[in-house]
Amino acid sequence: MSACQVQYKETTTLLPVIQQGLMTHWKYGSWTPCSVSCGKGTRARYVSCRDASGGVADESYCVHLPRPQESSSCFSSCGQWHAGDWSSCSVTCGQGRVTRQVICTNYHNHIDSDHCSPEERPAEEQECSMPPCLPSYRRSNSEIGNEYSPPVPTVDSPNSHVYHKPQENHNYWNNPSKRESQWRTGPWGACSSTCAGGFQRRAVVCQDKDGRMTNFCSEGTKPAESKHCESGPCPHWNYGSWGECTQSCGDGIRTRMVICELPSGQRLNEQNCDILEKPPDTEQCNMQVCPAGVTWHRGAWKSCSVTCGRGIKHRDIYCTDMDLKVVDDQYCQHVQKPQTHKPCRVGRCPSWKANRWSECSVTCGTGIQQRKVFCRLRGIGQINDAMCDSSSHPSKTQYCELSSCAHYVWIVEEWEECSAVCGEGKRQRQVICVNQNKEPVNDNYCVSSLRPPPAEKCMTAPCEYIWILGDWSQCSATCGLGYQQRMIYCTEVHSAHTHYSYDLPSVSYQECPLPHPPDTQKCFVTDCPSAATWKVGQWSKCSVTCGIGTIRRRVKCMDAEGLSSTLCLPHEKPKNTMSCQKKDCEISGSCRDIQKRKGIRKDGEYRLNIRGVEIQIHCSGMQSDSPKEYVTLPKGEAENYSEVYSLRLENPYDCPFNGSRRRDCTCRSDYLAAGHTVFRKIRFDPSTIQIMTDDLSFAHTIFGRAVPFATAGDCYSAAKCPQGQFSISLTGTGLRISDSTKWSAVGNYATADIRRSQDGTKVYGRCGGYCGKCVPQASTRLSVEVY
């Protein structure tokens, strides 16, 4: 047994006495654990003599008191007693005995009885009681004429030594009557076997009408004294297939299930089967020596293939040599390959729960019934509907049929005349609800959805429409280009005996013939005198001595008198800047190049040639032989951060407040992976044009664990309710996030919502799960572009 720290409990003897002026007594502690884990062992405790103040005294002062025992034997059972079924009673009537088999077992294996506690051994034999035995008689003397000598009684029972004297009445035996004698039977005894076929016995005796034993019954009519009995099939041991060996070679162990069952398959306790005949449930396997150290290496089991219910989990199996190096599988062909997959189960799956249907929406005829349907997880209750399979969503409504309603119908009268004399108008009619006797009733008795329309459009002879045009207005400009406008109407022509009249304003323009007359036009009165013009100066020199630069010139709007003016047309303004090209500059492409070419050993901001474009880069570690490049973030820590949210919902299948953050949520703050990190500079690899997200040299963790750049997560909810955030702002750096850069959602119930700015310089992500996060697909690298 494993060593345990023993806490001693001190106990004193009851009657301390005075010896040589001292009051002393024995004190002893609690027993230590047994020295063996099973079987017979020893245990001990400390014993000391104490004075009245509790101090340790010489044991000679306590010799007058009985010394408590310091050690004793102890027994801890290594095995367990298993008892079989009781046998049939040894007799069919009276008192007998039954027996059964009792053995000591350990993990279903038969072991020596010394390993089981003798005090706990079940009884192997006990008494049994059967129905009382009936007396039977036999004649002791030969028959003489019609007279018989008194019979000597014998009793078929364990108490066969008891005899009963017949009454001393000689006339009793001298007048037997065959016709008044008959066979009498006792009750059937127990079956001789507890299962399969056996026998039952009973007592059969011949008696006269007074119940006295006689020998005048006919043997041909004697009832049977025994019969076959059937107690059902016997249970037997059944066993499954051997499981996988724990070692592919070099002595392993495999197990199988062994159960006691009936032929019908009903499983019973092991005590119902013969323990001695139980097949082994463990055995050694693959005992051959592993050749040259080659064996199958088992990888760790991967996650289950499902998030709930039953699925399959896999693992990698590959052949390795004695140095654990992977070799071709052909070298392990002589060794049985372990299984690569096995079934798994991950909690309960949520399911749809449908309440009872509501009452029918009508009191007669056809109506609608409704019910509440929601997603439920056993042990938790109602959860977000998104967690259940939408394809198996039960119906929330159904039709219901009640007894037929009283017959009410709509009837209609003739249409009235059209309201228009030409073109499109409207006509109406009466719609009335009547009963089966055609008597008008309230409209509520009829089905409103079946009510015929009381009005409709009507068409008469087509109407004539013409355009009425107004006069053009004056030109909007006194010189140069201007505009003119006029009023336009579409009106209907009414004729009455060849006299026409016009109504203004009229109808929609769609009624008049096409094309639509114009209501505006350009106009030009005369040229305007030139009031002001753009004046340009000389081009300046190129702004750089090498590479691409800029040249500039002055552009001003001047009137005829040489004064500044605002009358120049903006779209006619000449350019005031232009690019210029000089010879190529020798610009370094890395901080290491700056060290080599210029001998600079000071950390700071430098201009590097990144894919043909000058980018400002911070060089760090210039005193070493391997300086590193960093991009300084102009927007700083406010727009460059990564966060793993710390709060967790008590109900992980909920998404309260429509997914928004609230500190008053029903949450606990115990997520150990939570943290918040802000960034001033980020590591940049000029050779691959990538940001290295795991470099935290110029980062600051506000709380919790450090979170890499462009990473976020939480353990808040399993209902697509992410709370972890990250923000990237490369504004002013000359870099932007590449369109090919993607983020992956990893973990349980993980989701990621990634949003980019149009120019690619800003990215905002909101990620999480239960528990989950989002990371760049390239793990610790983020691809960017120069623009």
Side-chain angles (χ1 to χ4, degrees):
M1 296 179 67
S2 61
C4 299
Q5 184 176 357
V6 179
Q7 295 181 350
Y8 293 100
K9 176 182 176 182
E10 292 189 349
T11 309
T12 61
T13 52
L14 296 178
L15 297 173
V17 299
I18 300 176
Q19 171 129 343
Q20 297 180 1
L22 292 176
M23 288 186 64
T24 58
H25 58 275
W26 291 107
K27 275 197 174 182
Y28 53 88
S30 301
W31 290 110
T32 62
C34 195
S35 61
V36 294
S37 58
C38 65
K40 294 181 179 180
T42 59
R43 58 180 182 172
R45 62 181 177 183
Y46 89 92
V47 176
S48 65
C49 180
R50 300 296 180 96
D51 57 25
S53 61
V56 178
D58 191 273
E59 293 191 359
S60 61
Y61 292 106
C62 293
V63 293
H64 60 286
L65 298 173
R67 181 185 178 89
Q69 191 176 3
E70 288 186 280
S71 64
S72 69
S73 61
C74 53
F75 181 85
S76 178
S77 177
C78 293
Q80 183 177 2
W81 292 110
H82 281 272
D85 292 332
W86 290 107
S87 67
S88 300
C89 193
S90 59
V91 297
T92 58
C93 61
Q95 295 294 118
R97 300 193 74 77
V98 291
T99 60
R100 63 179 176 181
Q101 184 184 35
V102 177
I103 62 173
C104 180
T105 64
N106 182 23
Y107 295 103
H108 311 299
N109 296 319
H110 186 190
I111 59 176
D112 193 87
S113 298
D114 292 339
H115 295 293
C116 287
S117 173
E119 291 83 5
E120 298 177 359
R121 178 167 185 151
E124 296 182 87
E125 185 177 344
Q126 68 179 22
E127 293 185 353
C128 57
S129 296
M130 302 299 288
C133 298
L134 298 175
S136 61
Y137 296 88
R138 70 173 184 271
R139 288 179 294 172
S140 59
N141 297 319
S142 60
E143 181 181 343
I144 303 174
N146 291 329
E147 293 184 1
Y148 296 85
S149 59
V152 179
T154 61
V155 180
D156 296 332
S157 71
N159 301 323
S160 58
H161 60 281
V162 180
Y163 293 86
H164 301 275
K165 272 187 163 185
Q167 295 182 6
E168 296 181 358
N169 186 348
H170 297 285
N171 294 330
Y172 170 78
W173 301 105
N174 293 333
N175 297 299
S177 175
K178 280 188 178 182
R179 290 176 297 177
E180 295 179 352
S181 298
Q182 63 179 354
W183 294 105
R184 306 251 183 207
T185 60
W188 288 106
C191 191
S192 62
S193 174
T194 58
C195 63
F199 291 93
Q200 287 178 287
R201 298 184 181 278
R202 65 179 176 179
V204 180
V205 297
C206 182
Q207 294 180 337
D208 61 14
K209 65 178 181 179
D210 296 324
R212 294 183 292 246
M213 297 293 181
T214 71
N215 293 318
F216 299 110
C217 297
S218 173
E219 289 292 333
T221 61
K222 183 177 181 180
E225 292 183 276
S226 64
K227 69 175 181 179
H228 287 281
C229 52
E230 182 68 40
S231 301
C234 293
H236 63 279
W237 292 108
N238 194 6
Y239 52 86
S241 302
W242 287 108
E244 181 185 2
C245 192
T246 57
Q247 299 291 336
S248 57
C249 60
D251 193 6
I253 295 176
R254 62 179 183 176
T255 61
R256 65 179 177 181
M257 178 177 286
V258 179
I259 60 174
C260 177
E261 65 177 14
L262 293 172
S264 63
Q266 180 182 355
R267 188 168 179 176
L268 304 175
N269 291 331
E270 293 188 347
Q271 291 83 354
N272 293 289
C273 290
D274 189 347
I275 296 296
L276 295 178
E277 296 181 0
K278 180 179 179 181
D281 56 0
T282 60
E283 72 173 10
Q284 292 180 307
C285 55
N286 293 340
M287 300 177 65
Q288 73 278 10
V289 178
C290 296
V294 178
T295 185
W296 291 108
H297 179 81
R298 300 169 174 84
W301 287 108
K302 299 178 181 178
S303 299
C304 196
S305 60
V306 297
T307 56
C308 66
R310 299 182 183 273
I312 295 178
K313 60 169 58 177
H314 297 265
R315 65 177 176 181
D316 295 326
I317 303 293
Y318 43 87
C319 185
T320 60
D321 59 16
M322 64 178 62
D323 296 326
L324 298 181
K325 293 182 179 179
V326 178
V327 297
D328 195 273
D329 286 359
Q330 64 179 355
Y331 295 105
C332 292
Q333 289 181 351
H334 59 283
V335 183
Q336 182 179 357
K337 187 173 184 178
Q339 63 179 6
T340 58
H341 62 276
K342 68 177 181 179
C344 56
R345 183 169 184 174
V346 187
R348 296 180 180 270
C349 289
S351 59
W352 294 108
K353 168 66 177 177
N355 289 347
R356 292 184 178 180
W357 290 106
S358 65
E359 294 185 359
C360 196
S361 60
V362 297
T363 57
C364 63
T366 303
I368 298 292
Q369 283 180 296
Q370 296 181 326
R371 64 179 177 180
K372 182 181 179 181
V373 178
F374 57 91
C375 185
R376 179 185 67 172
L377 184 63
R378 289 187 180 274
I380 294 180
Q382 183 174 351
I383 59 176
N384 194 301
D385 285 356
M387 305 302 296
C388 285
D389 182 8
S390 59
S391 62
S392 61
H393 192 292
S395 174
K396 292 184 178 181
T397 60
Q398 69 175 10
Y399 290 104
C400 49
E401 293 285 346
L402 299 179
S403 57
S404 300
C405 300
H407 190 62
Y408 297 97
V409 297
W410 297 102
I411 61 172
V412 295
E413 296 183 352
E414 294 294 330
W415 288 106
E416 298 176 355
E417 292 185 0
C418 191
S419 61
V421 295
C422 70
E424 182 179 318
K426 183 183 290 187
R427 63 178 183 173
Q428 296 180 327
R429 64 180 176 182
Q430 288 287 335
V431 179
I432 306 171
C433 179
V434 298
N435 58 20
Q436 58 267 31
N437 299 324
K438 303 299 181 183
E439 298 172 342
V441 296
N442 192 291
D443 286 357
N444 294 331
Y445 287 99
C446 289
V447 181
S448 59
S449 61
L450 301 178
R451 186 178 189 227
E456 70 176 8
K457 293 180 180 180
C458 54
M459 293 295 296
T460 58
C463 298
E464 295 184 17
Y465 298 94
I466 61 172
W467 291 106
I468 302 298
L469 308 177
D471 295 330
W472 288 108
S473 66
Q474 290 184 350
C475 190
S476 61
T478 57
C479 66
L481 184 64
Y483 293 91
Q484 288 177 295
Q485 294 180 322
R486 65 178 174 179
M487 300 294 292
I488 296 179
Y489 297 95
C490 176
T491 186
E492 178 183 347
V493 178
H494 298 287
S495 61
H497 305 291
T498 70
H499 295 287
Y500 293 88
S501 62
Y502 308 103
D503 293 333
L504 296 176
S506 61
V507 295
S508 171
Y509 287 171
Q510 296 176 354
E511 307 294 343
C512 280
L514 296 176
H516 187 297
D519 56 356
T520 61
Q521 70 176 8
K522 295 180 181 180
C523 56
F524 185 82
V525 178
T526 182
D527 291 330
C528 295
S530 179
T533 57
W534 292 105
K535 302 292 184 181
V536 297
Q538 295 294 324
W539 288 107
S540 66
K541 292 182 179 180
C542 190
S543 60
V544 296
T545 58
C546 64
I548 299 175
T550 304
I551 55 176
R552 301 178 182 275
R553 66 179 177 181
R554 179 178 295 180
V555 179
K556 294 187 66 177
C557 180
M558 308 290 288
D559 60 15
E561 298 178 358
L563 301 176
S564 296
S565 175
T566 59
L567 300 178
C568 297
L569 299 178
H571 66 275
E572 295 180 354
K573 182 179 181 180
K575 292 183 178 180
N576 63 344
T577 61
M578 186 181 296
S579 62
C580 55
Q581 177 72 47
K582 295 291 184 179
K583 63 179 181 179
D584 292 339
C585 299
E586 295 182 359
I587 303 178
S588 299
S590 68
C591 294
R592 181 60 174 163
D593 288 345
I594 293 178
Q595 276 186 331
K596 290 182 178 180
R597 293 183 180 182
K598 300 181 180 180
I600 298 176
R601 292 281 178 170
K602 182 180 180 181
D603 293 357
E605 302 288 330
Y606 298 93
R607 304 289 292 184
L608 297 184
N609 183 1
I610 307 298
R611 299 290 172 90
V613 179
E614 289 187 43
I615 300 294
Q616 181 170 306
I617 297 294
H618 179 87
C619 292
S620 178
M622 293 293 282
Q623 299 81 11
S624 66
D625 292 335
S626 55
K628 298 177 181 178
E629 292 80 13
Y630 291 85
V631 176
T632 301
L633 302 170
K635 293 298 182 179
E637 299 176 350
E639 297 186 21
N640 292 276
Y641 57 84
S642 297
E643 175 198 49
V644 175
Y645 196 51
S646 61
L647 295 186
R648 303 176 67 193
L649 285 173
E650 294 288 349
N651 179 5
Y653 296 97
D654 195 9
C655 185
F657 316 119
N658 292 324
S660 62
R661 283 195 182 187
R662 292 276 292 272
R663 301 299 297 185
D664 59 344
C665 63
T666 307
C667 303
R668 59 182 186 272
S669 180
D670 60 355
Y671 190 29
L672 299 180
H676 189 103
T677 303
V678 295
F679 300 84
R680 292 180 290 111
K681 292 180 175 62
I682 51 177
R683 177 73 187 282
F684 177 69
D685 186 347
S687 61
T688 61
I689 317 298
Q690 288 181 324
I691 294 172
M692 304 170 72
T693 60
D694 57 347
D695 191 312
L696 305 176
S697 300
F698 293 93
H700 171 56
T701 299
I702 298 176
F703 77 89
R705 295 189 177 183
V707 186
F709 192 66
T711 302
D714 65 22
C715 199
Y716 182 73
S717 171
K720 297 181 179 180
C721 193
Q723 299 296 311
Q725 304 175 99
F726 75 81
S727 175
I728 302 173
S729 179
L730 302 182
T731 303
T733 63
L735 302 174
R736 65 182 178 188
I737 302 297
S738 173
D739 292 337
S740 63
T741 299
K742 307 294 182 185
W743 275 260
S744 299
V746 296
N748 295 324
Y749 304 101
T751 58
D753 181 14
I754 310 298
R755 302 179 185 180
R756 306 170 186 245
S757 64
Q758 190 172 4
D759 61 0
T761 60
K762 294 184 179 182
V763 179
Y764 172 77
R766 193 155 184 173
C767 314
Y770 196 76
C771 302
K773 64 179 180 179
C774 62
V775 296
Q777 282 187 348
S779 185
T780 60
R781 289 182 175 265
L782 198 66
S783 296
V784 295
E785 297 174 351
V786 178
Y787 75 101

